C-alpha cells in the first residue's frame, strides 16, 4: 500500500515536471548522448565491407547541416514563442500565458531542435578526436539521417501549429480542455480522494500554520495520508487548491497527538505546495476564472467583441454541466486520515459568470445568452448548483435592468427570462 501511494505521488510529480520546458530539453539532450553511445555498441557488429560503403565525410556534411541549421531555427522559434506569449497576455488575459507556456507541441519542438543541435555538436567533437573513424561511420551516418528526418517532421508540425497558436479560438479551446480535464479528474476522485469536510474545525484540533504567503498550488494526498498514518493523526486541510494563504495563517488542522509535532509540520509543509501564482493543476475554478477574464476583456471598449463573451459563456456552461456534488457521491474515501472541503457550487457559478455579468451588463445580446446559460444550469439535477444558478440569474437580471437604457432592450431581456422560465 505504501509503495502504491509513493508511486502515485511520484507520477503526480513527474506529470508536473514534464510540463516545464527545461525538463524536456534536458531529456532530449540526454537522449542525444544515449543515441551516440548506442552507435558505439552497434558499430562493431556491422561487417567491415558494409561499414566502409559510407565514408565519414558523408556523415560530416549531414552533421554540419544540423549544427548550422538548428541554431538559427531554435532562435527563430524562441522569438516566435515569446511574441505569442506576450500578445496573448495583452490581448486576452495574463493568466492564459501560463497555459500557452505549457503547450506540448511548442515544448516538444524546441526540445527536438535543441536535442538535434546537441547531437550534432557532440558527434562532430567525437569525430575530431577520432572516436568515430572514417571506415566505421555507417551507423553514425544512418542515425544522423534519422535525426534529420525527425527534425523535418518536427519543423512541419511546428509550422502547422503556428497557424493557430495564440489565436482566440485556440486559446479559449485550450483553456476549456484543461479546465474540463481538471474538473473531471476532481469529480472522479471527490475531495482529492479524501474524506469530505464541512469546514468546521474539530474540537481539540491543533493548527499547523503556513510558513509563507502564497496560493495553494498543489496537494499530494497520497503522501499526506502516509504522513498522517506514520504520526497517528488526522489532517484537515483548511484551504482548498487555489486559495490564497497568508504567512502564519491556518493551513492544516490536526486531530490526535503526534509524537513529534515539529517533525509532523516539517513533513506536511512540502506536501502542500504554495506559490506566488495559481496553476491549473487540481484547480478547475482557476480555469473558469481565466475564461471569464477572456470574456470580460472582449467586452472592454477597446475590443468590443461580445461574440467572444458569448462563446466563453457557452464553454463555461458545458463544463459546469458536468458538476456533481462531491459530498453526495457515495464513494468511499481513499485516504481516511485526510479531510478536504468539497467544491462549492456557488463559487463555481461566481467564477464563471460574475465577471461577464458585470462588464456586459449593458449589452443585451450578452445578457440574453447569460440568462439562457444560467437557465440551462437551473435545470441541472444537482439542487445546489441549480439554486446557485438561479440566484446568479436574478442578480444578473437586476444588474442588467439598471444598465440597459433602451426600453426595447429591457423588454427583449424580460422576454428571454420569461421564455426560459416556461421552457
Amino acid at each position: 500500500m505504501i509503495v502504491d501511494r509513493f508511486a502515485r505521488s511520484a507520477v503526480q510529480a513527474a506529470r508536473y515536471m514534464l510540463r516545464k520546458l527545461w525538463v524536456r530539453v534536458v531529456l532530449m539532450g540526454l537522449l542525444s548522448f544515449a543515441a551516440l553511445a548506442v552507435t558505439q555498441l552497434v558499430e562493431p557488429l556491422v561487417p567491415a565491407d558494409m561499414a566502409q560503403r559510407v565514408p565519414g565525410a558523408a556523415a560530416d556534411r549531414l552533421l554540419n547541416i544540423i549544427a548550422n541549421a538548428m541554431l538559427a531555427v531554435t532562435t527563430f522559434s524562441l522569438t516566435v514563442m515569446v511574441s505569442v506569449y506576450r500578445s496573448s497576455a495583452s490581448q486576452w488575459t495574463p493568466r492564459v500565458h501560463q497555459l500557452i507556456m505549457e503547450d506540448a507541441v511548442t515544448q516538444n519542438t524546441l526540445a527536438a531542435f535543441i536535442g538535434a543541435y546537441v547531437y550534432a555538436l557532440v558527434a562532430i567533437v567525437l569525430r575530431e578526436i577520432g572516436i568515430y573513424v572514417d571506415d566505421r561511420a555507417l551507423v553514425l551516418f544512418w542515425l544522423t539521417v534519422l535525426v534529420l528526418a525527425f527534425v523535418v517532421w518536427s519543423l512541419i508540425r511546428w509550422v502547422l501549429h503556428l497557424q493557430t497558436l495564440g489565436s482566440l479560438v485556440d486559446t479559449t479551446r485550450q483553456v476549456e480542455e484543461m479546465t474540463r480535464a481538471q474538473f473531471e479528474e476532481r469529480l472522479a476522485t471527490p475531495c482529492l480522494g479524501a474524506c469530505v469536510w464541512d469546514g468546521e474545525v474539530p474540537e481539540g484540533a491543533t493548527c499547523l500554520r503556513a510558513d509563507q504567503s502564497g496560493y495553494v498550488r498543489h496537494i499530494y494526498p497520497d503522501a499526506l495520508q502516509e504522513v498522517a498514518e506514520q504520526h497517528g493523526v488526522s489532517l484537515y486541510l483548511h484551504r482548498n487548491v487555489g486559495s490564497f494563504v497568508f504567512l502564519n495563517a491556518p493551513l492544516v488542522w490536526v486531530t490526535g497527538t503526534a509524537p513529534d509535532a515539529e517533525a509532523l509540520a516539517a513533513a506536511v509543509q512540502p506536501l502542500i505546495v504554495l506559490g506566488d501564482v495559481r496553476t491549473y493543476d487540481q484547480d478547475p475554478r482557476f480555469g473558469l476564472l481565466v475564461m471569464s477574464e477572456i470574456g470580460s476583456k472582449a467586452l472592454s471598449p477597446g475590443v468590443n467583441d461580445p461574440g467572444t463573451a458569448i462563446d466563453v459563456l457557452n464553454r463555461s456552461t458545458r463544463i459546469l454541466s458536468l458538476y456533481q456534488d462531491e459530498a453526495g457521491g457515495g464513494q468511499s474515501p481513499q485516504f481516511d486520515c485526510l479531510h478536504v472541503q468539497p467544491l462549492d457550487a456557488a463559487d463555481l457559478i461566481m467564477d464563471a459568470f460574475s465577471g461577464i455579468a458585470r462588464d456586459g451588463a449593458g449589452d443585451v445580446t450578452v445578457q440574453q445568452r447569460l440568462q439562457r446559460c444560467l437557465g440551462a444550469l437551473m435545470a441541472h439535477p444537482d439542487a445546489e448548483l441549480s439554486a446557485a444558478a438561479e440566484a446568479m440569474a436574478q442578480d444578473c437580471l437586476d444588474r442588467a435592468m439598471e444598465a440597459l437604457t433602451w426600453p426595447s432592450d429591457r423588454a427583449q431581456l424580460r422576454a428571454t427570462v420569461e421564455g426560459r422560465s416556461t421552457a
Side-chain angles (χ1 to χ4, degrees):
M1 181 66 71
I2 294 178
V3 174
D4 291 341
R5 292 172 186 168
F6 177 79
R8 286 196 293 266
S9 298
V11 169
Q12 289 179 347
R15 286 172 54 189
Y16 177 75
M17 293 301 297
L18 283 175
R19 293 175 184 169
K20 297 182 179 297
L21 176 60
W22 69 267
V23 174
R24 301 192 185 215
V25 170
V26 169
L27 290 177
M28 192 61 69
L30 294 176
L31 181 60
S32 300
F33 282 100
L36 289 170
V38 168
T39 61
Q40 288 294 93
L41 300 176
V42 175
E43 193 72 57
L45 304 178
V46 179
D49 57 340
M50 183 181 296
Q52 294 174 1
R53 293 178 183 178
V54 178
D60 292 338
R61 286 192 291 269
L62 295 181
L63 292 171
N64 288 328
I65 291 173
I66 295 175
N68 293 329
M70 286 303 97
L71 184 60
V73 171
T74 302
T75 303
F76 165 75
S77 300
L78 287 172
T79 303
V80 172
M81 183 181 67
V82 172
S83 299
V84 170
Y85 291 167
R86 290 181 177 177
S87 64
S88 298
S90 61
Q91 289 179 343
W92 318 132
T93 169
R95 258 64 61 188
V96 82
H97 170 266
Q98 181 186 101
L99 184 61
I100 298 179
M101 284 184 63
E102 295 178 354
D103 180 69
V105 176
T106 302
Q107 292 189 353
N108 290 336
T109 301
L110 290 173
F113 292 163
I114 296 176
Y117 183 65
V118 171
Y119 167 84
L121 289 182
V122 174
I124 290 173
V125 171
L126 294 177
R127 282 279 295 155
E128 292 296 327
I129 63 177
I131 300 298
Y132 295 111
V133 295
D134 288 338
D135 58 350
R136 283 287 179 177
L138 179 67
V139 176
L140 177 64
F141 174 81
W142 286 111
L143 179 61
T144 306
V145 170
L146 291 177
V147 171
L148 271 175
F150 176 64
V151 167
V152 171
W153 177 80
S154 299
L155 186 59
I156 294 174
R157 188 186 183 196
W158 171 238
V159 171
L160 294 176
H161 189 60
L162 286 179
Q163 296 177 0
T164 58
L165 181 63
S167 66
L168 175 61
V169 174
D170 183 65
T171 300
T172 53
R173 183 181 294 120
Q174 285 190 58
V175 177
E176 180 187 9
E177 290 176 352
M178 174 61 76
T179 306
R180 175 187 289 269
Q182 296 301 324
F183 201 59
E184 291 176 341
E185 183 177 341
R186 174 67 186 243
L187 296 178
T189 55
C191 297
L192 303 178
C195 300
V196 178
W197 180 37
D198 60 4
E200 292 291 331
V201 179
E203 184 177 354
T206 58
C207 182
L208 295 183
R209 300 186 178 275
D211 59 357
Q212 60 177 309
S213 298
Y215 290 99
V216 180
R217 300 180 60 174
H218 198 87
I219 293 172
Y220 293 97
D222 306 78
L224 286 171
Q225 171 73 14
E226 184 178 345
V227 169
E229 290 178 349
Q230 290 176 352
H231 290 79
V233 298
S234 292
L235 304 177
Y236 294 77
L237 273 62
H238 186 71
R239 294 293 184 181
N240 230 325
V241 179
S243 301
F244 192 87
V245 180
F246 289 98
L247 177 65
N248 293 324
L251 183 64
V252 178
W253 293 96
V254 182
T255 58
T257 303
D260 189 342
E262 293 185 0
L264 174 63
V268 168
Q269 293 280 3
L271 302 178
I272 303 176
V273 181
L274 302 181
D276 58 340
V277 295
R278 292 176 72 172
T279 65
Y280 294 88
D281 287 339
Q282 299 180 334
D283 191 5
R285 289 186 57 188
F286 183 55
L288 291 171
L289 182 63
V290 170
M291 283 199 294
S292 179
E293 289 181 349
I294 294 175
S296 295
K297 187 67 173 288
L299 293 171
S300 63
V303 180
N304 192 23
D305 180 18
T308 295
I310 291 174
D311 179 63
V312 167
L313 290 173
N314 293 334
R315 294 178 185 275
S316 298
T317 304
R318 280 201 297 265
I319 294 172
L320 289 176
S321 64
L322 304 174
Y323 176 81
Q324 299 174 5
D325 184 10
E326 292 184 285
Q331 296 187 28
S332 300
Q334 302 177 29
F335 313 115
D336 56 351
C337 295
L338 187 64
H339 299 74
V340 174
Q341 299 180 56
L343 293 174
D344 185 73
D347 290 339
L348 295 172
I349 294 290
M350 184 70 67
D351 293 333
F353 300 115
S354 62
I356 297 177
R358 178 190 65 244
D359 297 325
D363 192 309
V364 65
T365 58
V366 173
Q367 290 301 316
Q368 286 179 306
R369 182 54 59 90
L370 180 58
Q371 290 294 332
R372 292 191 183 100
C373 290
L374 289 171
L377 294 176
M378 287 166 60
H380 194 277
D382 184 82
E384 184 181 1
L385 184 69
S386 177
E390 184 176 2
M392 175 61 72
Q394 184 60 50
D395 182 74
C396 294
L397 179 61
D398 295 340
R399 184 192 296 269
M401 286 301 173
E402 291 288 336
L404 294 171
T405 58
W406 194 247
S408 63
D409 288 345
R410 293 197 294 269
Q412 290 180 43
L413 183 57
R414 281 288 186 188
T416 300
V417 174
E418 292 173 358
R420 181 205 68 199
S421 300
T422 58

